[in-house]
Amino acid sequence: MLEVKDLHVTVEGSEILKGLNLTVNPGEVHALMGPNGAGKSTLSAVIAGKDGYEVTSGEILFEGKNLLEMEIEERALAGILLGFQYPVEIPGVKNIYLLKAALNAQRVARGEEEIPAPEFMKLVREQLSFMKMDGSFLQRAVNEGFSGGEKKRNEILQMLVLQPKLAMLDEIDSGLDIDAMKVVAEGINSLRNADRAILMVTHYQRLLEHIVPDRVHVLVDGRIVKSGDKELANELEARGYEWVLEESAA
Amino acid sequence: MSAAHAFLQRLGERADDEPTWVAARRQAGAARFEALGFPTKRDEAWKYTDVRRIAEGEFTLADDAELDEARFAALGMPLDAHRLVFVDGVFSADLSDLTDLPDGVSVEPLTTAMRTNHEAIGGAIGRLAGVDFSPFTALNVALSEEGAVVRIGQGVVVEKPIYVVFASRANESARMSHPRVLVMAGARSQSTVIEHYAGEAGAANFTNVVSEVMLERGAIVDHYKLQEASSEDLHVASIHVEQGRDSRFTSFNLNLGGALVRTDLVTDLNAQGAETNYNGLFFVQGRQHVDNHTLVNHNAPNTFSNENYKGILNDRARGVFNGKVIVKRDSQQIEAYQNNANLLLSDRAEIDTKPELEIYADDVKCSHGATTGQLDEEAVFALRTRGIDEQMARGLLTLAFAGEVMDQVRLPVITERVERAVAGKLPERFNLADLVEVSDALEEA
């Protein structure tokens, strides 16, 4: 589904990703780990199409298409959704408006009819209660005045409504207490199916106790230096990143 | 020949069968205007607004109101309302609809009101805005002949809005008009009055309107001024409000069109408990220029004013906001709040904003603030990552900026009009009223 090939990315003149390779297949959950400054968030930002990241070489294919030639919204309509580490507050735009406009943009792009209002409200209310959020969230401006945990739940709510093919979660666990973490993890686990891929960027192993990944990658200094299964995450938790750094230098 | 003199030449074109007191009033306006001349940028109140395009323009007074239904339909709003229509300043009986006015309410063209109710109207008109306020009000007095007169009797609640349309046609040569609007709201009456300035594409006329709104004790008036003339039109307006005890006036000054638009809005809070609310929105692009000068006079204790003006400027457009609040000595326990926020969508747009407070009492609550900023690019990105295209994302965020003001608007037709102008055609209604209904229904079920 997603193929990242020898990706080099610079930000403000300094190279952050230095030849990153990654393949994610449908049905798989991948965790991208690594010390601060390794370039973890850069990868998801480049895939989503954020400004300020210059791809100097390499390519990214999504379902065989050259992602780097697509506009930000085209990537979203193709089925890629980024859950932000710091979801932005959008004063004046109601949550419900964003959900409906985003869902209809997808449907229209697929040549479908816009969703009828009752059907939409039914869908949203189901997902809302699954995320343990009350109806007032819909009428509030996107993320405005939300606590850290509420913002993250709101990101997952969007995923549940929009049902992306590739869900990317950037440090979704940061700022969550244990209860909120469970709700968020349940939301993410409910997204798992044979057709969907999930790419999680995380600093801590904690999240992976709740969402067990198929593959774990360690990103160090702009490259993936080690990949393994969920056991690798446990090992990182126990031993830190030092040994991987040494191993990769050797 | 001075520019002022050239304008006054048009006086000679007026019918000479006017009553002598009307002629006398014209002469007074003309004399004052000739003495003052057009304002220049040396005048503090006109520092940022150059009126040479008006002064050097050549305008004639229209003498017909021809506009067929189709052309009118393209300009007017589909509102269930009591409607009075003027075309380039000339009353159109054909386009007006005053069939089912409730008892105690009269809505008439000025000329009719002057004939039938000379004493009441003659005494009221010009009382708040005579020849001295500005050169333009003097010019209006000299050249005005038509306008709207709305009188609402004591305790009458007018359900439907009173909708006054000033249509500006695309004429072969430019026209000018100097209409008057007079609203006399009786004690405890309630009404909504809309002044709608709409122009055909390519219309390049000059409108110089003076409105006076008088609220007696306990009266409630919602006043909308929707200005969406063509981008060639020139527009100067002066709105003067006088409020009695416990009255409430709410102004919506919504500017979407025009090449050069200047609005002065002045309220005198003359008795305890009077409240005035100023909601303003201007959205300008190209080389449009819009200037809002507002003034609230707290002439009595226990009076309240709240002002919120939002400006959105694109391309090389220019905006001016000057908001002044004067609290007289002995006007204790008043509250006055003022805010002006501006959104610049282009590097070349410009806003000059100046809030002014003059307070001569000591027991008051006042605040004022002005901000200018750009769209939040992080928010644009966030919306696009949800599949919303860039143009719509920017439109939504721009509309959201106007939200505080537009949320106060109680007429959906006007909300829709502003939404379309600011954000283009959206896939759904921004306020999602229908969804709220569905949602409530589900909740009850």
Side-chain angles (χ1 to χ4, degrees), chain B residues 328-375:
Chain B
K328 298 273 159 69
R329 213 167 67 91
D330 301 331
S331 290
Q332 303 295 0
Q333 301 196 316
I334 67 98
E335 291 182 41
Y337 306 107
Q338 187 191 80
N339 187 44
N340 167 234
N342 302 294
L343 178 64
L344 299 180
L345 299 177
S346 131
D347 292 339
R348 300 212 283 179
E350 188 181 326
I351 177 80
D352 292 288
T353 177
K354 186 176 174 193
E356 288 181 82
L357 287 177
E358 283 181 27
I359 303 172
Y360 302 102
D362 46 29
D363 183 11
V364 301
K365 278 188 199 160
C366 294
S367 71
H368 66 95
T371 57
T372 298
Q374 280 107 33
L375 278 187

Side-chain angles (χ1 to χ4, degrees), chain B residues 34-54:
Chain B
E34 195 148 28
L36 291 170
F38 279 101
T40 68
K41 297 181 96 171
R42 287 190 301 275
D43 296 296
E44 184 62 26
W46 296 87
K47 192 172 165 186
Y48 300 108
T49 297
D50 188 338
V51 300
R52 269 181 301 181
R53 291 164 77 174
I54 297 170

Side-chain angles (χ1 to χ4, degrees), chain B residues 268-288:
Chain B
D268 277 285
L269 297 169
N270 287 345
Q272 295 209 21
E275 170 186 331
T276 200
N277 300 292
Y278 287 177
N279 300 292
L281 174 70
F282 50 97
F283 173 63
V284 283
Q285 43 198 335
R287 285 175 164 269
Q288 287 180 287

Side-chain angles (χ1 to χ4, degrees), chain B residues 387-444:
Chain B
I388 293 168
D389 71 55
E390 180 172 6
Q391 196 188 351
M392 186 180 157
R394 291 184 182 280
L396 284 177
L397 294 170
T398 306
L399 207 49
F401 172 81
E404 264 175 28
V405 168
M406 294 312 297
D407 285 350
Q408 307 296 318
V409 172
R410 285 176 278 264
L411 294 166
V413 185
I414 291 183
T415 309
E416 223 169 300
R417 209 88 171 185
V418 175
E419 279 183 13
R420 201 173 345 125
V422 173
K425 197 178 167 342
L426 294 172
E428 18 235 331
R429 291 289 307 285
F430 191 60
N431 63 7
L432 290 179
D434 57 331
L435 272 189
V436 176
E437 278 163 34
V438 170
S439 179
D440 291 347
L442 279 176
E443 202 127 32
E444 282 164 26

Side-chain angles (χ1 to χ4, degrees), chain A residues 73 82 100 125 155 158, chain B residues 378 384 386 390 428 439:
Chain A
E73 52 270 28
L82 170 62
K100 190 155 186 251
R125 285 193 170 272
E155 295 293 284
Q158 291 169 19
Chain B
E378 292 282 330
R384 294 179 73 190
R386 270 53 183 158
E390 180 172 6
E428 18 235 331
S439 179

Side-chain angles (χ1 to χ4, degrees), chain B residues 44-46 262-266 291-295 320 322-323:
Chain B
E44 184 62 26
W46 296 87
R262 162 69 178 243
T263 302
D264 283 86
L265 173 58
V266 180
D291 178 347
N292 286 301
H293 268 61
T294 68
L295 170 62
V320 181
N322 185 294

Side-chain angles (χ1 to χ4, degrees), chain B residues 120-235:
Chain B
I121 306 304
I125 207 150
R127 190 162 66 72
L128 304 184
V131 299
D132 288 327
F133 180 77
S134 84
F136 286 99
T137 55
L139 180 63
N140 175 286
V141 170
L143 294 177
S144 76
E145 49 194 325
E146 204 35 293
V149 176
V150 175
R151 281 176 299 152
I152 300 152
Q154 274 196 15
V156 177
V157 176
V158 191
E159 301 276 345
K160 292 185 194 176
I162 295 158
Y163 178 34
V164 186
V165 186
F166 295 93
S168 174
R169 288 176 299 194
N171 298 303
E172 274 174 28
S173 67
R175 299 277 192 257
M176 66 174 165
S177 59
H178 303 268
R180 305 282 311 193
V181 175
L182 174 66
V183 179
M184 298 168 79
R188 301 179 317 282
S189 66
Q190 294 182 28
S191 57
T192 297
V193 178
I194 304 164
E195 292 180 32
H196 184 195
Y197 299 87
E200 294 188 303
N205 304 311
F206 167 44
T207 303
N208 175 32
V209 59
V210 177
S211 305
E212 292 164 289
V213 185
M214 300 163 188
L215 290 85
E216 288 178 7
R217 185 172 184 151
I220 297 175
V221 175
D222 281 5
H223 178 265
Y224 289 82
K225 181 188 177 219
L226 175 61
Q227 201 289 113
E228 45 176 15
S230 88
S231 56
E232 303 290 310
D233 253 5
L234 307 165
H235 180 99

